[in-house]
Amino acid sequence: MNDTVIIAIISLLGTLFGTLGGIVASNKLVDFRLKSLEEKVEKHNSVVERTYKLESEVESLKETVHSMQG
């Protein structure tokens, strides 16, 4: 084989492996960031649910105090 053809094949293989490696690394980073975002959203939703429960309890306590005073 001609030296030029061998160098071209080696360059092609290097490019393919480099590209695939970059894609894999990028996908891992996106997956990590997505999981982190999902955890933050879950924490936020938990706070919203707890706040709703607290507001309900406060309203109930207000009604109880109001009925005791009146």
Side-chain angles (χ1 to χ4, degrees):
M1 262 191 188
N2 191 352
D3 288 342
T4 307
V5 174
I6 294 173
I7 291 172
I9 291 172
I10 292 171
S11 296
L12 175 66
L13 291 175
T15 302
L16 287 175
F17 287 125
T19 302
L20 289 176
I23 291 171
V24 169
S26 177
N27 282 342
K28 286 182 180 180
L29 178 61
V30 168
D31 189 45
F32 170 76
R33 294 185 73 186
L34 185 59
K35 285 180 182 178
S36 296
L37 184 58
E38 288 173 345
E39 290 173 3
K40 288 179 182 180
V41 168
E42 184 61 36
K43 287 180 183 178
H44 175 269
N45 289 344
S46 174
V47 169
V48 170
E49 290 173 4
R50 289 178 19 216
T51 302
Y52 178 75
K53 286 181 182 179
L54 286 172
E55 288 174 345
S56 297
E57 289 179 18
V58 166
E59 281 302 314
S60 176
L61 288 172
K62 280 182 180 179
E63 289 176 6
T64 302
V65 168
H66 182 68
S67 67
M68 294 175 97
Q69 290 176 349

